[in-house]
Amino acid sequence: MAAMQFETPPAPAAAAPPAKPFTKKFWKSVRDFPMLYLGALIIVLLILAAVLAPVISPHNPTTQFSDGLTESGIPVGPSAKFPLGADNLGRDILSRVLYGAQVSLLVGVISTVINLVLGVLVGTVAGYFGGWVDNVLMRVTDIILAFPLLLFAMALVAVLGPSLWNVLFAIGVLGWGTMARVVRGQVLAVKEFEYVQAERALGASNTRIMFRVILPNIIGPVIVLSTLNVGQNILVEAGLSFLGIGIQPPTPSWGNMIEAGMQTYQVAPWTLWFPGLALVIAVLGFNLLGDGLRDILDPRNTQH
Amino acid sequence: MSVFWKKGAAVAASVGTLALVLAGCGASSSGNSSQGSNGSGQGQGGASQQKPVEGGSVTLDMIQNIRDLDPAFAYDTQSNEVVTQLYDQLVTWKGDTTKLVPMAAEKYDISKDGLTYTFHLRKNMKFWNGDPVTAQSFIDEFYRVLSPKMGSNGQGFYEIIQGADQYAAGKTDKISGLSAPNPYTLVIKLSKPEAFFLQTLAMPFASAVDKKFIESVGNHQVYKKNPTFDSTQAMGSGPFELQTINSNQIVLKKNPNYWRTDSYGQKLPYLSKITFNINNNDQVDALHFQQGQTAWIGWNFGGDGIPSSAYPQFMSNPNLKKLTVSAVQNSVQYVGLNTKLGPTKNKLVRQAIEYAIDKQAIIKLNNGRGKVANQPLPPGVVGYDNNLSPKAQYTYDPNKAKQLLKQAGYPHGLTIDMYSENSPDQVKFDQAVQGQLAKVGIKVKLHTSSWGTFLNVAEAGKAPMFWLAWIQDFPDASDFLNTLFNSNQAPVNNSTNYSNPQVDKWLNQAQYSNDQNERNQLYAKVTDQVMEDAAWVPIYYDVFTAAVQPWVHGFYIPKATTDPLEWIWIDKSHQKG
Amino acid sequence: MYAYILRRLFSAVIVLFGISVVTFLLIYAIPADPARMIAGPKAPESVVLTIRHQLGLDQPLPLQYIHYVWRLLHGDLGTSYTYNLPVATMIVQRLWPTAELALGCWLAELIIGIPLGIYTARHARRLGDYIVSALALIGISLPLFWLGLLLLYWLAYQVPIFPLGGFGGLRYLILPSLTYGITGAAYYTRLLKSSMLEVMQQDYVRTARAKGAGESRVTFRHVVRNALIPVVTFAGIDFSYLLTGVVLVEATFNWNGFGSLAYTAIQNLDVPVIMGTVLLVAVAVVLFNLIVDILYSVIDPRIRYS
């Protein structure tokens, strides 16, 4: 999707505005880029939740409390002991939601890093060398892009056996197609620029030109796309876990919590609400940040 | 109320067992059709007062798809229940009792020495394709079940037929004990008397099959001589025909030429169509029933009662509550510990697991439905051991478990793979076990899959730890203890690969003894030994609940998974289409 | 243009070849012995060996691949381990339900997405635009399956207007389509908005406006029609998203289609079905994109692909 929005190379960064007191500057930029800051705030909170989960969680996320279930074996609702209620095994949902942030962030970020490395490598090499190299690499990219990510990741995780690392690996190895295409497009445009030609004339090596000269110039779209990618990959992980092919119990993941909630929403709707809400907020955070960054790094896209 | 359910059925079951055991041995006995099919019309449905109405169809939800339609392999509850709709056996259970009545056999005689069984078959029985059902149709199936290549779950039940053990071992290609003096007389000779042999003939293994059909569709690649056929095909003579089957739905349609009639002379079955939708979602299944779309819930084809997530609602809503029926079943839910594979090879590890599992907590997850189990035999089966030896008893004690693990050489814990089917309630129980074992340092890796896929692993003896249940096929302790712990049943039925020569000796002795007291004593010894060896963690004995729409009649919960769908009828006002 | 189409066809063939290699390799990566799966767990080893030989599983990989492609070209996708039915038959049985669902989902996206796109373009930088854009962002961030469950909870359980999932007539189609529509519409909204804003700057629009055409007339006669071109292209990309989404929608709504076939096959490690479904989806994506690209180059000859 995002692929289409980077058909043009980024304009040079705007000149720095005249110095102002920091706080004033800060609030002005918040007013100018509310999405960016809201997204950043959500992500900071998310990171805090993940990192501090062991400290701030009221309970161990895997402890099955017998008072987490009613006499007839149904999850208890929100209470002082279980602020967001309990799940179908009497576990504290708040604690599980907090720990679930760890899984989501870990999978989202690391799989994106893998996407990024593979995508940038393939895209840069293809765009820079062109010709048959470009042809081969782009056909490989086409093949990767032809398999819908979730379906392909499902098959691969089934092959490897469901676990956190395999989910991460599958999403990372299969999800770089878009990145490669975008990077290639950018490289194609940038490599014709004078300063690149100048470097080449000066006899710089291909590696140097690709990664020292071209790459820094296309970093904007790459950052934007990566940020959006984290949110997408979190969703894919949740989808896999929802289908039971992702993160395995007892490790809490928002996806497998929703799957469990699917069986109890009639009698205990909170089992469905909170993990889903956490998931939406997290993904929204990355989407806000991504869009916000695009406003700054790629102003032509928001000219209107 | 139009739902009839006889309370105290569990007691009736045990009395029935005794009577059968006595009848089956010593004195010659015979059954004939006058007490069988003709008398069964009203009796089957639990004495319904109204005259049944023909027609109409019902829709039901099923959590899991069935595994196999081949009668030689249909030994799990789900497959078993479908196969008994599609195929006829020689004898069957009368209603919800444990009394055997003739079925395909019009009558039968058992010789005084208990060795020769003569069945006189009905003459008007036909397979759906028109082929006649003859004595040979039954003999063909015995050859399939006993074939050394097939690996049928039923093999062990019929090796007592003369010459069958030789055939099953691949030494001969003829079973001398099976003969058909004429097309409608089947003679089965045993090598020694067996108290419950007749009961094993009510199982789906002893169905009439159409050899011509099997050979035309069968898997010849694999089994040249005795082809198997897959779960998309069936050719029986039973009350319902298989219309379609796919991964989401099974449709059975009425066999219009079925031979059985009720006491009013009406032809069975009453229903013209039964649709099973496979829907692995408890909530939705419960809601479909509440909205009146399904005829009943929690029963049929491996249904484990009303799903635990919906059960409290059924209990708290008076309109729903009055539709529920419940009963103690002769069945046990257990965690099997493989004695030949993985860390559970070590007896101390198995015993540690016995101490580490909190059965009461699991029963609570099932809304309190169930009684804590302390041995494989349910209390309703004769032979239940009331005086377990202290060595065979375990209470929930995590500290003791940790201590045993240390003794076993795992002071820092260990990892075990656990297998089960993936129905929502099962996954919940698995996670409870996982959490409980985590407390003592055992990390459990769960492998849940569809029922058939799971059984393929478990029945190959390849699951280090697994959750299964066992429901009686016939009311005798041997169906539990011999089938599940005799080393000759490993791994297909004895999936923990339990093997103890002493236990085998006791089991074989009990198998062929005519003295019920002696049998009980032997089974008590077996129970003590098996529990001490900790091959199983018996979790609970089922208290079964189902709910049935008021417009459905003829419903009863059978004792041995032979669902009598042919007796079910629905109000005229609910017949559409 | 023909050169372009030829080049495009050639690369599609290459990609299809790659796809067949990838799906073929899947079967060897999967840790279940196909021969054992066919024979059943109880069959003796000798039987398994026989099957392995009969199926050619003991031959070298490249040879097996050639056989595989040969069978593919004859429409033979293998036989399901679980159901012992031809995979092709199983897939064909599920095509219609999934096609119906995919069409419903796509229409829902357009019905929600396009009017909102027009609205935001016409009210750019005004309150309505901000509200819709915020909603669009939330829509993109919603997990399909969670939204589906919420809709089921509200509209099928609490207020029982719609059925609780399952496959049937139009009534069954509405909730799943709505679910997908809400999460997917935002892409169309955003795309149409930026494309319309671009078109509005074009000379012919200014001319139309200068000639005194009404604002609505300008919007619908000139702007929307031209701005829809990139939207149509996006449908090609969306097709792949749609096929992924359908797996989740089918799992959530117990829809008896292609996605749930793939999903249960994966759970049961029913290798031929996994291969068949994955292969088919990938081929569909490639062909769909090919058609869109070709149509696009016919409609708009300015397109130059490097």
Side-chain angles (χ1 to χ4, degrees):
Chain A
M1 167 58 223
M4 353 213 7
Q5 309 198 356
F6 299 114
E7 298 305 336
T8 48
K20 279 185 196 166
F22 176 74
T23 44
K24 227 176 177 176
K25 230 165 67 182
F26 176 75
W27 287 114
K28 172 161 181 350
S29 83
V30 169
R31 262 202 313 280
D32 287 350
F33 304 105
M35 299 213 302
L36 178 79
Y37 282 91
L38 183 59
L41 180 70
I42 290 174
I43 291 164
V44 167
L45 289 177
L46 198 66
I47 293 170
L48 282 178
V51 173
L52 298 180
V55 184
I56 53 176
S57 290
H59 305 287
N60 181 316
T62 57
T63 304
Q64 302 171 7
F65 292 95
S66 70
D67 57 351
L69 297 169
T70 64
E71 269 318 298
S72 53
I74 288 299
V76 298
S79 65
K81 184 169 178 187
F82 306 110
L84 301 182
D87 76 356
N88 62 347
L89 285 155
R91 297 174 296 201
D92 178 42
I93 290 187
L94 175 61
S95 309
R96 292 181 69 74
V97 166
L98 290 171
Y99 273 89
Q102 293 184 339
V103 167
S104 286
L105 273 183
L106 200 67
V107 174
V109 171
I110 298 188
S111 64
T112 297
V113 170
I114 301 175
N115 289 168
L116 187 74
V117 171
L118 292 174
V120 167
L121 205 64
V122 170
T124 312
V125 170
Y128 181 75
F129 288 106
W132 68 269
V133 175
D134 182 28
N135 244 320
V136 169
L137 288 176
M138 280 302 106
R139 291 302 81 76
V140 172
T141 310
D142 285 346
I143 292 166
I144 282 288
L145 281 171
F147 294 100
L149 178 56
L150 182 80
L151 192 63
F152 206 172
M154 269 165 72
L156 193 59
V157 174
V159 170
L160 302 170
S163 76
L164 179 90
W165 296 106
N166 287 342
V167 167
L168 211 152
F169 173 76
I171 303 176
V173 165
L174 303 174
W176 51 267
T178 311
M179 179 67 79
R181 272 201 187 159
V182 171
V183 169
R184 173 180 171 273
Q186 299 285 324
V187 170
L188 279 179
V190 171
K191 80 171 178 185
E192 304 302 332
F193 286 4
E194 278 168 20
Y195 57 88
V196 178
Q197 302 297 341
E199 284 277 345
R200 189 173 291 164
L202 289 173
S205 72
N206 286 334
T207 326
R208 187 187 146 79
I209 298 175
M210 279 192 284
F211 297 104
R212 290 286 177 84
V213 182
I214 297 181
L215 205 55
N217 276 286
I218 62 169
I219 205 76
V222 169
I223 289 174
V224 172
L225 188 57
S226 298
T227 312
L228 295 171
N229 210 32
V230 175
Q232 289 310 306
N233 286 358
I234 287 176
L235 276 183
V236 173
E237 178 276 312
L240 286 173
S241 299
F242 170 74
L243 294 172
I245 314 170
I247 309 301
Q248 296 299 298
T251 307
S253 133
W254 296 332
N256 67 27
M257 291 175 75
I258 293 173
E259 184 208 9
M262 178 160 106
Q263 303 297 341
T264 47
Y265 66 76
Q266 193 187 347
V267 283
W270 52 90
T271 55
L272 181 62
W273 287 340
F274 297 114
L277 217 52
L279 184 53
V280 176
I281 292 172
V283 177
L284 189 63
F286 284 100
N287 283 342
L288 282 169
L289 186 69
D291 282 3
L293 284 172
R294 176 157 44 208
D295 289 350
I296 294 180
L297 299 172
D298 197 6
R300 277 199 52 182
N301 248 294
T302 48
Q303 57 203 339
H304 306 292
Chain B
M1 211 172 89
S2 0
V3 176
F4 293 91
W5 170 247
K6 285 178 186 159
K7 278 229 163 129
V11 181
S14 48
V15 173
T17 312
L18 266 181
L20 271 168
V21 166
L22 294 176
C25 50
S28 151
S29 65
S30 64
N32 67 56
S33 57
S34 63
Q35 39 161 237
S37 71
N38 291 343
S40 49
Q42 287 187 313
Q44 288 280 15
S48 173
Q49 301 304 312
Q50 294 160 273
K51 189 178 169 190
V53 189
E54 217 184 301
S57 53
V58 296
T59 302
L60 299 165
D61 277 324
M62 224 159 95
I63 291 282
Q64 294 269 334
N65 206 334
I66 58 150
R67 180 197 188 197
D68 214 313
L69 282 181
D70 187 330
F73 292 110
Y75 199 31
D76 58 289
T77 45
Q78 276 180 307
S79 311
N80 187 326
E81 286 172 89
V82 187
V83 163
T84 51
Q85 308 312 315
L86 305 177
Y87 291 87
D88 279 331
Q89 293 78 41
L90 291 163
V91 292
T92 192
W93 307 103
K94 182 180 164 72
D96 59 357
T97 71
T98 50
K99 184 172 158 33
L100 280 175
V101 291
M103 192 180 177
E106 210 160 12
K107 61 190 176 91
Y108 56 84
D109 305 301
I110 304 169
S111 68
K112 282 211 172 91
D113 57 8
L115 288 177
T116 309
Y117 288 67
T118 310
F119 296 91
H120 305 280
L121 305 187
R122 286 168 205 285
K123 296 200 172 64
N124 52 352
M125 289 169 55
K126 283 191 165 55
F127 292 104
W128 310 325
N129 60 6
D131 291 349
V133 175
T134 64
Q136 191 60 38
S137 314
F138 289 95
I139 291 177
D140 289 341
E141 181 62 2
F142 280 120
Y143 272 90
R144 296 181 71 240
V145 168
L146 284 160
S147 160
K149 274 201 164 178
M150 293 264 287
S152 159
N153 313 56
Q155 196 179 335
F157 293 108
Y158 307 105
E159 283 182 352
I160 192 162
I161 297 173
Q162 237 176 55
D165 49 350
Q166 291 289 310
Y167 175 77
K171 289 178 185 149
T172 57
D173 52 6
K174 192 113 187 65
I175 303 171
S176 57
L178 292 171
S179 61
N182 67 61
Y184 298 101
T185 307
L186 170 66
V187 179
I188 302 177
K189 286 203 170 82
L190 305 188
S191 53
K192 47 193 156 183
E194 186 181 68
F196 48 85
F197 180 70
L198 196 60
Q199 302 180 35
T200 65
L201 298 181
M203 294 165 78
F205 304 121
S207 299
V209 298
D210 187 359
K211 195 174 184 192
K212 247 173 37 198
F213 172 81
I214 297 178
E215 284 183 345
S216 68
V217 304
N219 190 346
H220 293 271
Q221 277 190 338
V222 187
Y223 307 99
K224 285 224 166 52
K225 203 148 174 225
N226 291 290
T228 57
F229 50 103
D230 57 72
S231 286
T232 58
Q233 317 240 28
M235 182 52 66
S237 55
F240 289 96
E241 298 180 27
L242 181 70
Q243 185 173 318
T244 53
I245 178 167
N246 59 44
S247 55
N248 281 57
Q249 198 181 55
I250 299 172
V251 181
L252 304 183
K253 66 170 189 203
K254 174 184 191 152
N255 171 6
N257 302 315
Y258 194 51
W259 55 272
R260 248 170 142 177
T261 52
D262 67 8
S263 58
Y264 298 97
Q266 293 191 103
K267 278 183 91 115
L268 293 178
Y270 304 119
L271 291 173
S272 44
K273 199 170 94 175
I274 305 174
T275 304
F276 297 92
N277 290 320
I278 294 138
N279 186 2
N280 195 357
N281 186 321
D282 283 348
Q283 292 273 292
V284 172
D285 290 355
L287 287 168
H288 279 158
F289 178 81
Q290 290 172 25
Q291 296 178 350
Q293 294 176 25
T294 47
W296 58 79
I297 180 172
W299 177 58
N300 263 136
F301 301 168
D304 293 318
I306 297 169
S308 69
S309 57
Y311 181 76
Q313 278 198 328
F314 276 76
M315 287 296 112
S316 59
N317 179 337
N319 289 330
L320 289 172
K321 191 174 182 181
K322 72 176 187 210
L323 302 179
T324 59
V325 290
S326 93
V328 177
Q329 245 185 353
N330 280 341
S331 65
V332 57
Q333 303 277 338
Y334 70 95
V335 171
L337 305 173
N338 202 320
T339 59
K340 294 276 184 301
L341 197 72
T344 48
K345 270 195 295 202
N346 186 332
K347 183 166 148 184
L348 291 170
V349 172
R350 299 200 300 270
Q351 288 176 332
I353 295 174
E354 297 270 3
Y355 283 110
I357 291 182
D358 182 356
K359 301 171 186 177
Q360 203 66 57
I362 294 172
I363 293 173
K364 188 177 174 188
L365 289 175
N366 199 31
N367 323 107
R369 288 173 295 170
K371 282 167 60 187
V372 170
N374 63 353
Q375 58 183 292
L377 273 183
V381 174
V382 174
Y384 176 81
D385 190 354
N386 282 309
N387 303 302
L388 273 183
S389 97
K391 278 181 169 173
Q393 293 187 41
Y394 306 91
T395 44
Y396 176 56
D397 186 350
N399 288 328
K400 178 101 195 201
K402 277 185 212 162
Q403 195 188 316
L404 282 165
L405 284 179
K406 202 178 281 174
Q407 233 175 297
Y410 295 102
H412 308 298
L414 65 153
T415 303
I416 302 181
D417 293 87
M418 178 172 173
Y419 288 76
S420 79
E421 63 152 332
N422 61 2
S423 74
D425 273 345
Q426 184 57 57
V427 172
K428 188 163 83 168
F429 298 158
D430 291 348
Q431 292 189 39
V433 169
Q434 187 183 43
Q436 290 161 9
L437 293 190
K439 278 193 202 159
V440 303
I442 300 175
K443 204 177 147 212
V444 174
K445 215 173 150 215
L446 295 178
H447 303 265
T448 58
S449 57
S450 72
W451 177 237
T453 307
F454 157 61
L455 282 185
N456 283 344
V457 177
E459 290 191 351
K462 286 179 183 161
M465 185 170 162
F466 57 90
W467 181 302
L468 261 175
W470 191 259
I471 298 173
Q472 69 179 8
D473 304 291
F474 49 88
D476 190 282
S478 95
D479 181 41
F480 286 82
L481 298 177
N482 191 63
T483 312
L484 298 165
F485 297 106
N486 198 320
S487 60
N488 66 19
Q489 296 276 0
V492 176
N493 294 324
N494 171 1
S495 301
T496 60
N497 294 310
Y498 181 76
S499 164
N500 181 326
Q502 181 61 57
V503 168
D504 284 351
K505 222 177 105 193
W506 288 330
L507 284 171
N508 292 336
Q509 207 179 330
Q511 193 83 340
Y512 307 117
S513 164
N514 292 331
D515 180 346
Q516 189 60 35
N517 272 335
E518 188 198 357
R519 296 185 78 210
N520 289 350
Q521 278 166 20
L522 288 165
Y523 284 135
K525 281 189 193 171
V526 170
T527 302
D528 279 341
Q529 190 58 48
V530 165
M531 285 310 295
E532 196 192 321
D533 289 339
W536 271 32
V537 186
I539 307 289
Y540 66 86
Y541 304 121
D542 294 272
V543 175
F544 184 83
T545 51
V548 186
Q549 302 288 4
W551 40 270
V552 174
H553 309 273
F555 179 94
Y556 65 86
I557 298 173
K559 278 282 155 296
T561 66
T562 42
D563 295 342
L565 294 183
E566 71 261 39
W567 298 102
I568 300 250
W569 57 280
I570 59 174
D571 284 345
K572 200 97 198 153
S573 53
H574 265 84
Q575 300 185 359
K576 38 192 167 174
Chain C
M1 191 180 79
Y2 291 109
Y4 167 70
I5 292 177
L6 265 179
R7 212 167 57 225
R8 193 65 191 75
L9 273 173
F10 179 70
S11 85
V13 168
I14 300 278
V15 169
L16 288 176
F17 167 75
I19 286 167
S20 75
V21 172
V22 171
T23 40
F24 171 74
L25 288 177
L26 263 181
I27 201 175
Y28 291 94
I30 287 184
D33 178 358
R36 171 56 71 185
M37 297 283 276
I38 292 167
K42 288 164 244 160
E45 195 55 36
S46 60
V47 171
V48 177
L49 281 173
T50 316
I51 296 179
R52 193 169 294 145
H53 182 67
Q54 278 164 349
L55 294 182
L57 293 169
D58 48 0
Q59 289 171 341
L61 269 180
L63 206 60
Q64 289 191 46
Y65 174 74
I66 291 169
H67 287 305
Y68 168 71
V69 172
W70 183 250
R71 287 195 301 270
L72 275 186
L73 292 175
H74 289 77
D76 179 4
L77 293 172
T79 307
S80 157
Y81 298 157
T82 319
Y83 297 100
N84 213 12
L85 282 171
V87 175
T89 313
M90 292 175 77
I91 289 176
V92 167
Q93 279 175 358
R94 306 300 193 92
L95 275 186
W96 173 243
T98 296
E100 193 185 312
L101 181 64
L103 190 68
C105 289
W106 190 59
L107 285 178
E109 279 185 305
L110 296 184
I111 291 170
I112 301 170
I114 290 185
L116 289 179
I118 297 172
Y119 176 84
T120 46
R122 291 187 63 182
H123 298 81
R125 297 226 161 239
R126 279 187 259 162
L127 182 65
D129 175 23
Y130 290 131
I131 291 174
V132 172
S133 299
L135 287 176
L137 205 61
I138 293 173
I140 292 177
S141 309
L142 279 170
L144 261 181
F145 47 96
W146 187 63
L147 178 65
L149 290 170
L150 290 184
L151 292 180
L152 276 175
Y153 179 73
W154 289 319
L155 298 177
Y157 167 58
Q158 285 199 321
V159 190
I161 303 172
F162 297 105
L164 293 150
F167 168 65
L170 193 62
R171 275 181 65 225
Y172 290 84
L173 187 59
I174 294 174
L175 277 191
S177 304
L178 189 63
T179 305
Y180 191 84
I182 290 174
T183 59
Y187 292 115
Y188 286 93
T189 304
R190 289 173 152 202
L191 193 61
L192 187 58
K193 178 188 168 190
S194 64
S195 150
M196 274 180 68
L197 290 176
E198 208 152 296
V199 174
M200 281 175 182
Q201 305 299 316
Q202 303 290 322
D203 289 343
Y204 59 91
V205 176
R206 294 180 184 187
T207 316
R209 214 174 260 142
K211 281 189 347 201
E215 193 55 36
S216 297
R217 194 185 148 80
V218 171
T219 305
F220 290 98
R221 283 294 297 271
H222 300 280
V223 179
V224 175
R225 263 174 59 181
N226 288 296
L228 274 177
I229 292 175
V231 175
V232 171
T233 336
F234 179 65
I237 296 166
D238 190 31
F239 188 71
S240 164
Y241 286 88
L242 204 58
L243 290 175
T244 301
V246 156
V247 176
L248 287 170
V249 173
E250 288 187 1
T252 312
F253 288 92
N254 197 36
W255 190 273
N256 185 10
F258 188 80
S260 59
L261 181 70
Y263 162 58
T264 42
I266 283 170
Q267 278 193 325
N268 296 333
L269 278 187
D270 193 346
V271 180
V273 180
I274 301 177
M275 285 177 71
T277 47
V278 169
L279 182 79
L280 201 82
V281 166
V283 169
V285 170
V286 171
L287 293 183
F288 197 86
N289 280 309
L290 179 70
I291 292 168
V292 168
D293 282 356
I294 291 177
L295 283 182
Y296 199 42
S297 76
V298 172
I299 296 167
D300 188 352
R302 288 173 303 166
I303 299 297
R304 286 281 177 275
Y305 279 73
S306 46

